[in-house]
Amino acid sequence: MQLKYYLHDNWKFSILNKEDIKKLPKGAIKYGQWLKASVPGTVHTDLLAEGLIPEPFYSDNENELQWVGQVDWAYKTTFDLPKDFAPGKQINLVFEGLDTVADIILNGEKIGFVNNMFLKHSYEITSLLKKKNNKLEINFASAENYAKVQEKLNGEVPVALRSERVHIRKAQYSFGWDWGPTFVTMGLWRSVYLQQVEENNIEDFTFETLSVTESKAVVRLKVGVKQPLKSDMKLKVNLSGTRTVYENEMKASTGAIDFISEFEIKNPELWYPNGSGKPYLYNIDLQLIKDKVVLDKISKKVGIRTIKLQLDENGKPTFRFIINGQPVFLKGSNWIPSDTFLPRISDEKYRTLLTAAKKANMNVVRVWGGGTYEKNIFYELCDELGLVVWQDFMFACAAYPENESFLSNVALEVAQNVLRIQYHPSIAIWCGNNENEWLWYQAFNTSYTKMPGYKIYHDLIPGILKKLDPNRPYWPSSPFSNEDDPNSELSGNRHQWDLWSRWVDHKKVKSDNSLFVTEFGFQAPANYETMLSVLPEDQRNPQSRIFEFHNKQIEGPERLIKFLYSHLPVRMELKDFIYLTQLSQALALKECVEYWQARFPKTNGSIIWQINDCWPVASWSLIDSELLPKLSYYLVKSAFSNPFSGFVEKGEEILAGVVNNSHEAFNGNCRIDVISLKTSKVTLSKNKKVLIDKLTNQPVFSVPNSDELKNGEELIVVTLEDRHNNIVHRNLYAGVEFKHLKLPESKLKIKEGREEVSISADKLTLFATLQSSGKIFEDNGLIILPGEKITVKYNAVDSKKKTNSPVTATSLNQYLK
C-alpha cells in the first residue's frame, strides 16, 4: 500500500536576497533571520503571525504592505525518513500546490522549477534521501516581478485591471479586483508530503452516467494507473449505497495504462439538485491488486444523474439545463475565494457557506474564473448538499498569451484539474473563462475570434475535454452567445450589468429578456460589527476615506447613495446607513430573482454575484467575510422559495399569484390582506385553498388598484402557507416608493428562548431585522402583520462567541414615521 508522510512541521522562512532588504520597511525582517512558518500558508500570514506586519485588512494597511509581494522569499525544513517507509521502494515528494514561482531544492540539488499555482507537482526523490536530516528548500520568486518580466517577453495584451497578471498562472484576484484587495501572495498554499509508492498505483479515475431510465442506469468507469499494467494485476470495483449494487474484478491488459468498463445499475437512486429531489450518493471503492496484495486503493462518493444543456427549442434559442430528464431553473450565487489568504479557508468555513446556500433555497454555485479550482472538500459538499456547480476555468476579464510554453502550461493545468474533480455529480458544466470575449467585443467592437487567447477556450480546452470528459456540457465563456455580441439576449447566457454597474435601476429588470443570467448584483456594506473591525474610530461614517477604501469598485460608494436615494430614506449615521443600504440591496435582488423565476422556462437561471467575501468590504456579497448574513441573504432566501407569491399590475387591478417552478404540485393556503397605514387595520382580507400545478404561474386574487394603494396609504401583503399553516412565503406590494410611505410607529416585543426568538408587533412592521452578536438567525427582514407573532430559530456563530447578548430589532418603520 501507498504511505503518506506530511511535511507540515518545522518550516522556517526568510528574505531570499540580501539586496531586497532595502525594499522593506525598517525593522520588517533581517537578512539571514529565519522565522517560524506555517504550511499550508502564505508569506503574508507568516509575517502576520510573527508580528512583523499589521493586520492586512485593517484601515488602508493594504497600501503599506505591497512590498511583501515584490521581494523573493525562502522557505526551508528538515525531516527524517519515516520509520514505516520500507527500504527499496520508490518515494515521491508531492506538492499539492505552490504559489507560484519557485525553485525546489532537496539536499542541495535542484529537483524542480514551478510557475503554476493550479498544478500538483510530484518528484521521484528516492536516491536523494538520507535517513536523517534531509533539507528541503523552496525559493519563491516574486510572482508580481515574474509576471512583469513575462509580459515584456510575450508582449502586452488587453487586460482589465493590472496587465501583467495574465502572464502568470496564478489566481487573478490576488492582483486586486473590484471587490477585493491586492495581495500578491507566495507560499506553500496546499499540502506537501512524502509518498511511498508500490510497483503501480491508481493515478486518477472518471465516472460518468451515460443514460438513465426508470429501471436502469448505464455508467462508465475509467481508472488510470501510473505505470503500464501487467497481466497479473487486476482492479476490484465495488459500488454501494445502502447495499452493494455493483461488484467486479477487472483483469488488466498487459501494457495498458487504464481500466475501462461500462456497466448497468438496476433501479438506480439518482442525484438531484436541491429542491428537485434527494442528492443520492454511492460509495465507490477501487483496489489495484497484484497476487492478492493491494497495491493501492481509493474510496470516493459518486452520483448517478444525467445533465444536458438545451440550446434549441422548436428552432428558437434557449439556454436550459435538463437534469435527469427534467428542466430545472438554476438559482444561486457566484463563488469567489472566501479569504484573500487561501490557506486560511477551513473545511468548516466551506461547510458554513455552502450550507447557507442550500438553506437559501439555492441549487447552483458558480466557481468564478478569477479565483481557483477549489479544494476537494468544496465539491464533496456540493455533492452532498445538492448544489449544481458551474465550473469556470481560471481565466478572467482579459486577453491571454498564446505562446507555446504558456499553452502547454495551461494544457497540463486543465487536464490535471479535470481529472481531479470530474467524478463529482454536482459539476454540471465546464466554462472556458469569465467575460473575456465580451470585454474584447466591448473594447474593440470586432470579432472575439481575433482575441489573444481565443484558441485556449475554443480549441485547447474543448479538445482536452473531448478526451477526458466528453459527455458533460462545455461553454466557451460566460457570457457567451451565437451573436456578434457575446452578451446578447438573443442566445446563450448573459451577465446583466446594466443594472447597478451601468447605473440602471433594478426596476428596469422587467424589460430584460435574458435566457439565462449568470451574473447580476447590487452592493451593500458588510454588517456593522464587521465594518467596525476595520474602521478606525475617526473613520466610522459612510463618507470617510477608509470606508470608501473598503469598496473597491470605481464609484461604488456613489452607487450606494444613488440607489438608496431612489427607493428608501437616506441616513448617514453608519449603523443606519448599513441597515438601509443592505435593505436597498435586498429589495433589488428580490425583485430581479422573482422576475426571472416567473419567466421560466423563457429565462432558465439567475445566479447572483456573489454569495461570499474575502475581506471586510462593501460589495455584492450576501454573506460577509465574517460569515454573517446580510439582510439581502434573507430576502433572497425568501424569493428563492418554491413556490413563491408575487404581484402583477394589470390595468386597474393588482393580481396576486403563485409561481411554482417545481415538478410537484403545491397544496396549501393563500391569504391576501390589504392594510391601512393610517389605522394599521386590515381593510380587506381573503383566504383561499390552492392547488398549484407543477411548472405553473397562477393568479389567485385580484384587488382593485384603489387610490389608497396608488397613494401609498394602503399596502398589500400576500401570505402563502402549506397544509399545516406554516408560512412558505410572504410578499408585499406598495404602490409608491418606500421612501414616500408614512409607516406606523410599531411596538415590537421580543422574547428570547434557548434556540429561538419570538417577535410580535402591534402594527404592520416592514423588514424587521433581528440583531444579536453571536447569533445567526434563520430568517430575518420580516414583514409582521398587526398583532402577529413570528418565531425565528437561531444558531450560535461559533462556540467561542457568546450568545447571550440581548436581541434587538431594526425596522423600516423607524425611518418612515
Side-chain angles (χ1 to χ4, degrees), residues 789-810:
K789 181 172 75 172
I790 295 177
T791 299
V792 178
K793 294 182 179 179
Y794 68 82
N795 296 294
V797 173
D798 61 46
S799 58
K800 297 177 183 178
K801 293 190 177 183
K802 296 180 180 180
T803 59
N804 58 357
S805 61
V807 178
T808 60
T810 303

Side-chain angles (χ1 to χ4, degrees), residues 553-564:
Q553 186 185 26
I554 296 172
E555 296 186 332
E558 290 83 350
R559 286 178 177 82
L560 288 174
I561 296 290
K562 189 271 184 189
F563 291 112
L564 175 62

Side-chain angles (χ1 to χ4, degrees), residues 519-532:
E519 282 190 21
F520 72 100
F522 282 76
Q523 281 191 1
N527 287 286
Y528 180 68
E529 59 188 277
T530 302
M531 293 304 299
L532 286 190

Side-chain angles (χ1 to χ4, degrees), residues 72-184:
D72 301 341
W73 295 91
Y75 277 70
K76 68 179 183 180
T77 190
T78 58
F79 63 91
D80 296 336
L81 193 63
K83 293 179 181 179
D84 55 350
F85 276 24
K89 291 189 176 182
Q90 179 178 318
I91 298 174
N92 296 336
L93 175 62
V94 181
F95 298 92
E96 296 281 1
L98 290 166
D99 179 14
T100 295
V101 183
D103 288 320
I104 304 165
I105 302 164
L106 179 63
N107 292 330
E109 183 170 329
K110 181 179 174 180
I111 62 171
F113 167 76
V114 299
N115 62 356
N116 187 331
M117 75 175 288
F118 305 125
L119 285 179
K120 175 181 176 180
H121 303 278
S122 181
Y123 302 95
E124 199 276 303
I125 59 169
T126 313
S127 63
L128 295 176
L129 288 172
K130 302 183 294 186
K131 287 186 177 181
K132 298 284 187 181
N133 201 34
N134 292 280
K135 184 179 181 182
L136 176 60
E137 302 168 81
I138 316 294
N139 293 335
F140 287 98
S142 161
E144 181 177 338
N145 295 341
Y146 177 87
K148 289 177 180 177
V149 170
Q150 294 302 307
E151 183 177 37
K152 288 182 180 179
L153 292 173
N154 298 331
E156 291 187 14
V157 293
V159 178
L161 306 169
R162 290 173 56 168
S163 62
E164 76 270 20
R165 66 178 174 85
V166 303
H167 296 272
I168 185 171
R169 293 310 297 145
K170 175 174 173 59
Q172 302 286 267
Y173 82 95
S174 64
F175 290 87
W177 220 263
D178 56 7
W179 39 258
T182 300
F183 290 110
V184 186

Side-chain angles (χ1 to χ4, degrees), residues 679-797:
T679 65
S680 203
K681 292 183 178 179
V682 176
T683 62
L684 174 68
S685 184
K686 297 180 181 178
N687 188 68
K688 182 184 289 187
K689 290 185 177 181
V690 292
L691 179 62
I692 311 297
D693 200 4
K694 64 180 181 179
L695 304 178
T696 297
N697 186 339
Q698 180 176 318
V700 178
F701 295 111
S702 175
V703 176
N705 194 3
S706 64
D707 290 341
E708 289 80 5
L709 286 171
K710 292 177 181 177
N711 297 332
E713 297 170 9
E714 292 183 340
L715 302 179
I716 304 175
V717 177
V718 63
T719 304
L720 192 62
E721 299 174 331
D722 63 20
R723 288 178 294 175
H724 305 290
N725 299 319
N726 298 310
I727 295 177
V728 173
H729 188 255
R730 174 169 282 175
N731 215 336
L732 173 72
Y733 174 85
V736 299
E737 296 291 351
F738 285 114
K739 65 181 181 180
H740 296 144
L741 296 175
K742 188 173 182 181
L743 296 177
E745 187 173 349
S746 62
K747 295 179 181 179
L748 300 178
K749 291 184 179 180
I750 298 173
K751 185 177 180 181
E752 295 186 48
R754 187 171 182 179
E755 296 179 345
E756 62 185 30
V757 172
S758 66
I759 179 170
S760 60
D762 61 335
K763 297 177 181 177
L764 177 67
T765 303
L766 302 187
F767 310 114
T769 302
L770 299 164
Q771 298 133 353
S772 175
S773 178
K775 296 184 178 70
I776 291 183
F777 299 93
E778 289 198 1
D779 291 297
N780 230 330
L782 308 168
I783 299 169
I784 308 175
L785 300 178
E788 185 180 38
K789 181 172 75 172
I790 295 177
T791 299
V792 178
K793 294 182 179 179
Y794 68 82
N795 296 294
V797 173

Side-chain angles (χ1 to χ4, degrees), residues 12 99 250 254 256 295 347 401 435 446 469 541 548 587 662 688 728 737 753 776 810 814:
K12 295 181 179 181
D99 179 14
M250 301 168 60
T254 302
L295 302 180
D347 289 357
E435 296 187 345
T446 59
D469 195 25
N541 75 80
E548 292 185 353
L587 292 170
S662 78
K688 182 184 289 187
V728 173
E737 296 291 351
I776 291 183
T810 303
Q814 296 170 219

Side-chain angles (χ1 to χ4, degrees), residues 200-321:
N200 209 338
N201 62 279
I202 298 172
E203 188 76 354
D204 51 62
F205 85 100
T206 60
F207 183 92
E208 56 186 322
T209 307
L210 301 180
S211 64
V212 169
T213 66
E214 290 185 4
S215 60
K216 71 175 182 180
V218 179
V219 301
R220 185 176 188 265
L221 173 68
K222 182 178 180 181
V223 181
V225 294
K226 186 70 173 178
Q227 302 294 337
L229 292 164
K230 297 179 180 179
S231 61
D232 55 354
M233 294 179 180
K234 59 186 177 182
L235 183 75
K236 186 175 181 180
V237 181
N238 182 280
L239 187 68
S240 63
T242 55
R243 58 182 178 82
T244 295
V245 297
Y246 178 79
E247 193 168 24
N248 189 22
E249 285 192 356
M250 301 168 60
K251 294 182 179 180
S253 297
T254 302
I257 57 170
D258 51 37
F259 294 90
I260 301 175
S261 177
E262 291 184 11
F263 53 91
E264 293 183 359
I265 305 297
K266 294 182 179 179
N267 302 315
E269 297 276 4
L270 302 184
W271 185 94
Y272 283 96
N274 182 35
S276 297
K278 183 178 179 180
Y280 193 88
L281 295 173
Y282 289 92
N283 301 307
I284 189 166
D285 296 295
L286 305 172
Q287 293 185 353
L288 181 61
I289 299 171
K290 178 183 178 182
D291 297 331
K292 299 184 179 180
V293 175
V294 177
L295 302 180
D296 196 8
K297 66 178 181 179
I298 58 173
S299 296
K300 299 290 184 181
K301 290 184 180 294
V302 296
I304 296 174
R305 55 93 186 103
T306 58
I307 293 182
K308 295 181 180 179
L309 177 58
Q310 182 183 359
L311 299 176
D312 178 89
E313 184 176 43
N314 299 322
K316 295 182 179 180
T318 187
F319 196 95
R320 184 180 305 137
F321 285 88

